[in-house]
Amino acid sequence: MSLDGVPPALSFTLNGAAVALQVSATARLSEVLREAAGARDVKVGCNAGDCGACTVLLDGTAVCACMVAAGQAQGRSVETQSGLVAHDPVAAQLAAAFQRHQAAQCGICTPGMMVSAVAHLRAGGALTEEAVSDALGGVLCRCTGYRKIIAAVLDVEGEAEAPRDGCIGARLPRVDGWPKVSGCEAFGDDVAPADALFCRVIRAPFHRARFDFGDLDGLRRENGLDLILTAQDVPGSNIFGVIPGFEDQPVFAVSETRFRGEAVSAVVGSAAALAGMGAFPVQWTELPAALTPDAAVQAEPLHGARAGNLMCTGFVARGDAAAGLAEAAHRVSGRFTTGFIEHAYVEPEAAVARRVGDRIEIACCTQAPYMTRDGIAGILGIDPGRVRILPTATGGGFGSKLDLSVQPFVALAAWHLDRPVRMAYTRAESMASSTKRHPAAIEMEVGADAEGHIVAARVSGDFNTGAYASWGPTVATRVPIHASGPYRTPHYEAKSAGIHTHTVPAGAFRGFGVPQAAVAQEQLYDMLAGKLGIDALDFRRRNCLTNGDATVTGQVFDTGMGIADCLDALKPAWARAQSEAAEFNSTPGRLRRGVGIAGGWYGCGNTSMSNPSTIRAGITGDGRLVLHQGAVDIGQGSNTVITQIFAEAMGVAVADVHLVGADTDLTPDAGKTSASRQTFITGNAARLCGEALRAQVLRLGNASENASIRFCPGGVEIVEDGRNHRVELGAGDSDYALEAVETYDPPTLALDENGQGAPYAVFGTAAQIAEVEVDTALGTVRVLSIVAAHDVGRAINPLLIEGQIEGGVAQGIGMALMEEFVPGRTENLHDYLIPTFGDIPPVTSIIVESGDAHGPYGAKGLGEHCLIPTAPAILNAIANACGVRIYDLPATPDKVRAAILASAEARA
């Protein structure tokens, strides 16, 4: 520090240009690059060197910028993703390869991946899978499953160009992919204006506590803060939620907190004021807390109207399960438990809000812009039309970014101050306060006749929904419908219960409880097959639902029930894997190999309720085709898939379509990005919209459906039978000369008191094989291979389908073997483990196209399905390898080793 208190200038070269900045030498280099130098392509995911998203080159060496003091860059060269792609031919080639292979899904980890890869390539590193995995191993990805990233780096010198166009069935790269690979993508913390104030939330340090504030006005004056917010500063409702009738979470707690990490206040000011702020004046009194459902049932209710802390229940019954089990020739049963699982998206929640007259505008990472709009309107006490949500790129979501997080805090602050206010959660804050996958305790019994046909099943599941409801009611409803798996089960009874505890709220996470149920059902089906002496695949094939069969809710599908096709597609791989495992195990040793299989299904969209999406499109007077597409793309590819469907319906090239992305002022409500609904529901809306707009164009030219459409300046050309007819629309006019708006809402029926009805118009199905190697002395499990067969109805874009499968498999591996969130203990990415490059084996994707009567061109959703069979397939493979079953996830080495020892003692 100089004598006048101003830091000396820090000088270095950034992407080839000299910069001099008045910043502290001890500041993080990542912060200096982003906030002072404007290099927003440097992403911050953890500030602890765990995720690698902030990787830059410092004199050519890859470093985590969050772990480097800015002073260490003095006089040196710093290179970031955008600079590399702009100036380095190797990086430009790599960007093209990333786009060609779709190695960027959400894109938040892509800067770190590409920068690390460039360092490896410049050093002459070997282009082998092992070498590339080692070079990039310090960067985490939660979306891709790493396989496409490896493929892209290995293909960096490839000359093949990515296809630039194509509609249904084309392996088209993402229409929004280039910003992700060139360093131009803007996420929630990248769009704040320079004059934005900062917001910080004050959170509870205990699972449950009473609290009292001290002198808040004194704190504000003494520290130069602009605002301190508490519950009394909420002008509308201090309660929010996502399910009507279950809105129960306060923006700020009042007098008592219900989970560790709950918000009680927020402070707003300059970065310097917040950094120098003294201790926040709040006195805490820790109270007894119920952290498990068993304890909560006996505890004082968290919410007075919910006796026994029972949030809600689910129920499906068909036939007579008790009688069916009593008459079954063979029965198996078990109790299976899973813990909290963290979403672990690399982008922490972030937003910026500004007041515009009597309106509020919020740019944020979100999966549900209209739900966010309505929630903020309720909190501010204003009409929803006065709230504008501008979704930024979302760096992973998987369900948790459906809920409100940072948005209420920045909205309230900007509303009161009439100043832009920004906020980005720290990694610890994100993990402490964001929703999790529900912990589950599932008891299940299944019976079969002497010929191996399932006759009955009975299921009971308790789910820890945490302090607040979030998406708990959806989980409680879905699980009883899905817990039979995609198998004929004439006698069935399933019950579920969501129970409140003093823990972080559990919410939506890729599958809404179905993955937990699959862990139970698919292990029991393996056990039953073993008891019957029937091959595990053959047992499933014998019992799988086919078109014309009734599901456990009594629903009958005439088309689209594709689980049999998935199982049939796996038969060659199943035979090969079993043969190879048997050969390996013929030699004695501590390493044992096993093969497991599991099936799964998932109903696309909301359960038994209206679930519409709306799409708008128009043709301007100057001849531009514009698609208003409001389905948020969180990496799954909805921008691309919906554009492909729309272009197919219009009969034009994808390149002809100009995309307007999600914005509640500009795009109709396409519904939330969840429940594998966008391809099916919004895709159908896009198909209807394209067909309607095409019909208008053809009508102008008095042409038949066989005509083709071309766009030209000032109008369109309609070509039919070799004749061209030009339709003038008004040259130079950017308003719409033609416009169509269409909505699709899938046909479903409400469930009756026994859970009978038609909850979903479409089910997607899947089956996967896992090959594993178990070290019986250490209890470690290594996944060697996954073969995944997925029925997608119709493959709109096979390249994106493969990416979804590989990413879902990676999350399934994490669920099976390593992931468990413990409040207060694993609120970072070095104690909470997610799969890395070294954990993901080769994944073979088999795309099954069964077609579907309701899907657009026969297509179904896919996102959730990819994860569901993975964990049970791995658990079945562990049992096949060493003869022990793991009933409590994750199957960590200590649990596997303990099970092996217990089995040996039982045999002794």
Side-chain angles (χ1 to χ4, degrees), residues 695-723:
Q696 291 184 46
V697 174
L698 295 180
R699 194 176 303 120
L700 289 176
N702 196 26
S704 75
E705 256 307 313
N706 297 323
S708 60
I709 299 172
R710 298 174 186 167
F711 295 93
C712 55
V716 296
E717 286 184 349
I718 303 170
V719 182
E720 186 172 20
D721 297 331
R723 297 188 303 273

mmCIF file of all heavy atoms in Angstrom, residues 695-723:
data_model
loop_
_atom_site.group_PDB
_atom_site.id
_atom_site.type_symbol
_atom_site.label_atom_id
_atom_site.label_comp_id
_atom_site.label_asym_id
_atom_site.label_seq_id
_atom_site.Cartn_x
_atom_site.Cartn_y
_atom_site.Cartn_z
ATOM 1 N N ALA A 695 -49.024 -22.409 -42.514
ATOM 2 C CA ALA A 695 -50.322 -22.369 -43.187
ATOM 3 C C ALA A 695 -50.667 -20.940 -43.622
ATOM 4 O O ALA A 695 -51.230 -20.727 -44.714
ATOM 5 C CB ALA A 695 -51.405 -22.919 -42.268
ATOM 6 N N GLN A 696 -50.326 -19.947 -42.797
ATOM 7 C CA GLN A 696 -50.585 -18.556 -43.175
ATOM 8 C C GLN A 696 -49.787 -18.165 -44.414
ATOM 9 O O GLN A 696 -50.301 -17.491 -45.317
ATOM 10 C CB GLN A 696 -50.226 -17.621 -42.018
ATOM 11 C CG GLN A 696 -51.124 -17.720 -40.802
ATOM 12 C CD GLN A 696 -50.742 -16.696 -39.745
ATOM 13 O OE1 GLN A 696 -50.523 -15.525 -40.068
ATOM 14 N NE2 GLN A 696 -50.660 -17.136 -38.497
ATOM 15 N N VAL A 697 -48.513 -18.580 -44.448
ATOM 16 C CA VAL A 697 -47.667 -18.244 -45.596
ATOM 17 C C VAL A 697 -48.209 -18.901 -46.865
ATOM 18 O O VAL A 697 -48.342 -18.242 -47.919
ATOM 19 C CB VAL A 697 -46.213 -18.678 -45.338
ATOM 20 C CG1 VAL A 697 -45.361 -18.472 -46.583
ATOM 21 C CG2 VAL A 697 -45.621 -17.915 -44.153
ATOM 22 N N LEU A 698 -48.534 -20.174 -46.784
ATOM 23 C CA LEU A 698 -49.016 -20.885 -47.964
ATOM 24 C C LEU A 698 -50.344 -20.306 -48.443
ATOM 25 O O LEU A 698 -50.616 -20.263 -49.653
ATOM 26 C CB LEU A 698 -49.157 -22.376 -47.649
ATOM 27 C CG LEU A 698 -47.852 -23.120 -47.326
ATOM 28 C CD1 LEU A 698 -48.138 -24.588 -47.032
ATOM 29 C CD2 LEU A 698 -46.840 -22.984 -48.454
ATOM 30 N N ARG A 699 -51.149 -19.849 -47.504
ATOM 31 C CA ARG A 699 -52.437 -19.271 -47.892
ATOM 32 C C ARG A 699 -52.226 -17.994 -48.707
ATOM 33 O O ARG A 699 -52.978 -17.717 -49.644
ATOM 34 C CB ARG A 699 -53.260 -18.991 -46.633
ATOM 35 C CG ARG A 699 -54.732 -18.714 -46.906
ATOM 36 C CD ARG A 699 -55.512 -18.538 -45.598
ATOM 37 N NE ARG A 699 -55.373 -19.724 -44.745
ATOM 38 C CZ ARG A 699 -54.845 -19.717 -43.520
ATOM 39 N NH1 ARG A 699 -54.405 -18.584 -43.004
ATOM 40 N NH2 ARG A 699 -54.765 -20.825 -42.814
ATOM 41 N N LEU A 700 -51.201 -17.226 -48.379
ATOM 42 C CA LEU A 700 -50.930 -15.999 -49.130
ATOM 43 C C LEU A 700 -50.568 -16.295 -50.580
ATOM 44 O O LEU A 700 -50.835 -15.484 -51.475
ATOM 45 C CB LEU A 700 -49.785 -15.218 -48.468
ATOM 46 C CG LEU A 700 -50.097 -14.555 -47.130
ATOM 47 C CD1 LEU A 700 -48.839 -13.906 -46.563
ATOM 48 C CD2 LEU A 700 -51.190 -13.515 -47.268
ATOM 49 N N GLY A 701 -49.937 -17.447 -50.798
ATOM 50 C CA GLY A 701 -49.561 -17.813 -52.153
ATOM 51 C C GLY A 701 -50.511 -18.793 -52.801
ATOM 52 O O GLY A 701 -50.219 -19.304 -53.884
ATOM 53 N N ASN A 702 -51.613 -19.076 -52.115
ATOM 54 C CA ASN A 702 -52.582 -20.053 -52.627
ATOM 55 C C ASN A 702 -51.880 -21.362 -53.013
ATOM 56 O O ASN A 702 -52.144 -21.946 -54.072
ATOM 57 C CB ASN A 702 -53.342 -19.478 -53.840
ATOM 58 C CG ASN A 702 -54.601 -20.284 -54.139
ATOM 59 O OD1 ASN A 702 -55.183 -20.921 -53.255
ATOM 60 N ND2 ASN A 702 -55.015 -20.276 -55.398
ATOM 61 N N ALA A 703 -50.963 -21.784 -52.141
ATOM 62 C CA ALA A 703 -50.140 -22.960 -52.427
ATOM 63 C C ALA A 703 -50.583 -24.130 -51.568
ATOM 64 O O ALA A 703 -51.226 -23.976 -50.521
ATOM 65 C CB ALA A 703 -48.671 -22.639 -52.146
ATOM 66 N N SER A 704 -50.197 -25.317 -51.990
ATOM 67 C CA SER A 704 -50.536 -26.532 -51.262
ATOM 68 C C SER A 704 -49.469 -26.845 -50.222
ATOM 69 O O SER A 704 -48.414 -26.195 -50.171
ATOM 70 C CB SER A 704 -50.667 -27.706 -52.232
ATOM 71 O OG SER A 704 -49.379 -28.129 -52.667
ATOM 72 N N GLU A 705 -49.725 -27.886 -49.428
ATOM 73 C CA GLU A 705 -48.765 -28.303 -48.401
ATOM 74 C C GLU A 705 -47.443 -28.745 -49.009
ATOM 75 O O GLU A 705 -46.428 -28.801 -48.331
ATOM 76 C CB GLU A 705 -49.341 -29.451 -47.571
ATOM 77 C CG GLU A 705 -49.835 -29.073 -46.197
ATOM 78 C CD GLU A 705 -48.804 -28.323 -45.367
ATOM 79 O OE1 GLU A 705 -47.634 -28.733 -45.289
ATOM 80 O OE2 GLU A 705 -49.167 -27.298 -44.786
ATOM 81 N N ASN A 706 -47.422 -29.080 -50.273
ATOM 82 C CA ASN A 706 -46.200 -29.571 -50.912
ATOM 83 C C ASN A 706 -45.241 -28.442 -51.265
ATOM 84 O O ASN A 706 -44.104 -28.707 -51.663
ATOM 85 C CB ASN A 706 -46.553 -30.351 -52.185
ATOM 86 C CG ASN A 706 -47.379 -31.589 -51.881
ATOM 87 O OD1 ASN A 706 -47.167 -32.252 -50.864
ATOM 88 N ND2 ASN A 706 -48.356 -31.903 -52.734
ATOM 89 N N ALA A 707 -45.673 -27.212 -51.160
ATOM 90 C CA ALA A 707 -44.821 -26.087 -51.531
ATOM 91 C C ALA A 707 -43.706 -25.893 -50.513
ATOM 92 O O ALA A 707 -43.807 -26.295 -49.347
ATOM 93 C CB ALA A 707 -45.665 -24.817 -51.631
ATOM 94 N N SER A 708 -42.637 -25.264 -50.958
ATOM 95 C CA SER A 708 -41.536 -24.925 -50.061
ATOM 96 C C SER A 708 -41.472 -23.411 -49.886
ATOM 97 O O SER A 708 -41.960 -22.648 -50.724
ATOM 98 C CB SER A 708 -40.207 -25.449 -50.604
ATOM 99 O OG SER A 708 -39.930 -24.895 -51.875
ATOM 100 N N ILE A 709 -40.874 -23.004 -48.758
ATOM 101 C CA ILE A 709 -40.829 -21.591 -48.392
ATOM 102 C C ILE A 709 -39.372 -21.140 -48.327
ATOM 103 O O ILE A 709 -38.515 -21.836 -47.767
ATOM 104 C CB ILE A 709 -41.503 -21.366 -47.028
ATOM 105 C CG1 ILE A 709 -42.979 -21.775 -47.088
ATOM 106 C CG2 ILE A 709 -41.378 -19.910 -46.593
ATOM 107 C CD1 ILE A 709 -43.653 -21.767 -45.731
ATOM 108 N N ARG A 710 -39.111 -19.971 -48.895
ATOM 109 C CA ARG A 710 -37.796 -19.353 -48.798
ATOM 110 C C ARG A 710 -37.986 -17.912 -48.328
ATOM 111 O O ARG A 710 -38.943 -17.253 -48.720
ATOM 112 C CB ARG A 710 -37.085 -19.340 -50.152
ATOM 113 C CG ARG A 710 -36.803 -20.700 -50.755
ATOM 114 C CD ARG A 710 -36.235 -20.536 -52.155
ATOM 115 N NE ARG A 710 -36.068 -21.813 -52.834
ATOM 116 C CZ ARG A 710 -35.834 -21.927 -54.138
ATOM 117 N NH1 ARG A 710 -35.751 -20.834 -54.899
ATOM 118 N NH2 ARG A 710 -35.688 -23.118 -54.683
ATOM 119 N N PHE A 711 -37.044 -17.449 -47.527
ATOM 120 C CA PHE A 711 -37.124 -16.079 -47.050
ATOM 121 C C PHE A 711 -36.184 -15.191 -47.859
ATOM 122 O O PHE A 711 -35.077 -15.596 -48.216
ATOM 123 C CB PHE A 711 -36.772 -16.015 -45.564
ATOM 124 C CG PHE A 711 -37.775 -16.738 -44.710
ATOM 125 C CD1 PHE A 711 -37.589 -18.066 -44.359
ATOM 126 C CD2 PHE A 711 -38.928 -16.095 -44.295
ATOM 127 C CE1 PHE A 711 -38.529 -18.743 -43.605
ATOM 128 C CE2 PHE A 711 -39.872 -16.760 -43.533
ATOM 129 C CZ PHE A 711 -39.675 -18.087 -43.201
ATOM 130 N N CYS A 712 -36.645 -14.009 -48.123
ATOM 131 C CA CYS A 712 -35.869 -13.070 -48.915
ATOM 132 C C CYS A 712 -36.119 -11.670 -48.375
ATOM 133 O O CYS A 712 -37.096 -11.431 -47.662
ATOM 134 C CB CYS A 712 -36.245 -13.162 -50.389
ATOM 135 S SG CYS A 712 -38.012 -12.926 -50.693
ATOM 136 N N PRO A 713 -35.257 -10.715 -48.704
ATOM 137 C CA PRO A 713 -35.461 -9.358 -48.189
ATOM 138 C C PRO A 713 -36.833 -8.817 -48.581
ATOM 139 O O PRO A 713 -37.211 -8.809 -49.743
ATOM 140 C CB PRO A 713 -34.337 -8.562 -48.858
ATOM 141 C CG PRO A 713 -33.275 -9.573 -49.129
ATOM 142 C CD PRO A 713 -34.005 -10.836 -49.480
ATOM 143 N N GLY A 714 -37.591 -8.421 -47.583
ATOM 144 C CA GLY A 714 -38.885 -7.822 -47.830
ATOM 145 C C GLY A 714 -40.032 -8.787 -48.009
ATOM 146 O O GLY A 714 -41.166 -8.354 -48.217
ATOM 147 N N GLY A 715 -39.779 -10.088 -47.923
ATOM 148 C CA GLY A 715 -40.887 -11.005 -48.117
ATOM 149 C C GLY A 715 -40.469 -12.453 -48.090
ATOM 150 O O GLY A 715 -39.406 -12.816 -47.564
ATOM 151 N N VAL A 716 -41.321 -13.303 -48.646
ATOM 152 C CA VAL A 716 -41.051 -14.727 -48.752
ATOM 153 C C VAL A 716 -41.334 -15.176 -50.175
ATOM 154 O O VAL A 716 -42.141 -14.562 -50.897
ATOM 155 C CB VAL A 716 -41.925 -15.548 -47.767
ATOM 156 C CG1 VAL A 716 -41.591 -15.214 -46.337
ATOM 157 C CG2 VAL A 716 -43.402 -15.335 -48.037
ATOM 158 N N GLU A 717 -40.645 -16.259 -50.545
ATOM 159 C CA GLU A 717 -40.902 -16.899 -51.830
ATOM 160 C C GLU A 717 -41.520 -18.259 -51.578
ATOM 161 O O GLU A 717 -41.038 -19.015 -50.724
ATOM 162 C CB GLU A 717 -39.613 -17.068 -52.640
ATOM 163 C CG GLU A 717 -39.090 -15.785 -53.229
ATOM 164 C CD GLU A 717 -37.869 -16.010 -54.104
ATOM 165 O OE1 GLU A 717 -37.316 -17.130 -54.075
ATOM 166 O OE2 GLU A 717 -37.474 -15.069 -54.800
ATOM 167 N N ILE A 718 -42.573 -18.550 -52.310
ATOM 168 C CA ILE A 718 -43.232 -19.847 -52.221
ATOM 169 C C ILE A 718 -42.985 -20.570 -53.530
ATOM 170 O O ILE A 718 -43.313 -20.056 -54.607
ATOM 171 C CB ILE A 718 -44.744 -19.667 -51.969
ATOM 172 C CG1 ILE A 718 -44.960 -18.845 -50.684
ATOM 173 C CG2 ILE A 718 -45.433 -21.021 -51.874
ATOM 174 C CD1 ILE A 718 -46.385 -18.406 -50.484
ATOM 175 N N VAL A 719 -42.377 -21.744 -53.412
ATOM 176 C CA VAL A 719 -41.972 -22.495 -54.600
ATOM 177 C C VAL A 719 -42.799 -23.774 -54.675
ATOM 178 O O VAL A 719 -42.835 -24.554 -53.713
ATOM 179 C CB VAL A 719 -40.467 -22.836 -54.562
ATOM 180 C CG1 VAL A 719 -40.061 -23.584 -55.824
ATOM 181 C CG2 VAL A 719 -39.641 -21.572 -54.374
ATOM 182 N N GLU A 720 -43.451 -23.971 -55.829
ATOM 183 C CA GLU A 720 -44.257 -25.172 -56.020
ATOM 184 C C GLU A 720 -44.294 -25.516 -57.503
ATOM 185 O O GLU A 720 -44.552 -24.648 -58.347
ATOM 186 C CB GLU A 720 -45.682 -24.972 -55.500
ATOM 187 C CG GLU A 720 -46.520 -26.246 -55.545
ATOM 188 C CD GLU A 720 -47.859 -26.090 -54.845
ATOM 189 O OE1 GLU A 720 -48.319 -24.946 -54.660
ATOM 190 O OE2 GLU A 720 -48.448 -27.124 -54.468
ATOM 191 N N ASP A 721 -44.011 -26.790 -57.778
ATOM 192 C CA ASP A 721 -44.032 -27.279 -59.162
ATOM 193 C C ASP A 721 -43.156 -26.424 -60.069
ATOM 194 O O ASP A 721 -43.517 -26.104 -61.219
ATOM 195 C CB ASP A 721 -45.472 -27.290 -59.706
ATOM 196 C CG ASP A 721 -46.374 -28.241 -58.939
ATOM 197 O OD1 ASP A 721 -45.847 -29.231 -58.415
ATOM 198 O OD2 ASP A 721 -47.587 -27.971 -58.855
ATOM 199 N N GLY A 722 -42.004 -26.013 -59.528
ATOM 200 C CA GLY A 722 -41.059 -25.254 -60.333
ATOM 201 C C GLY A 722 -41.396 -23.797 -60.505
ATOM 202 O O GLY A 722 -40.671 -23.054 -61.186
ATOM 203 N N ARG A 723 -42.479 -23.333 -59.916
ATOM 204 C CA ARG A 723 -42.885 -21.940 -60.046
ATOM 205 C C ARG A 723 -42.623 -21.195 -58.741
ATOM 206 O O ARG A 723 -42.891 -21.701 -57.651
ATOM 207 C CB ARG A 723 -44.367 -21.835 -60.399
ATOM 208 C CG ARG A 723 -44.730 -22.444 -61.749
ATOM 209 C CD ARG A 723 -46.179 -22.119 -62.115
ATOM 210 N NE ARG A 723 -47.116 -22.569 -61.085
ATOM 211 C CZ ARG A 723 -47.638 -23.790 -61.046
ATOM 212 N NH1 ARG A 723 -47.283 -24.694 -61.944
ATOM 213 N NH2 ARG A 723 -48.508 -24.118 -60.095
#
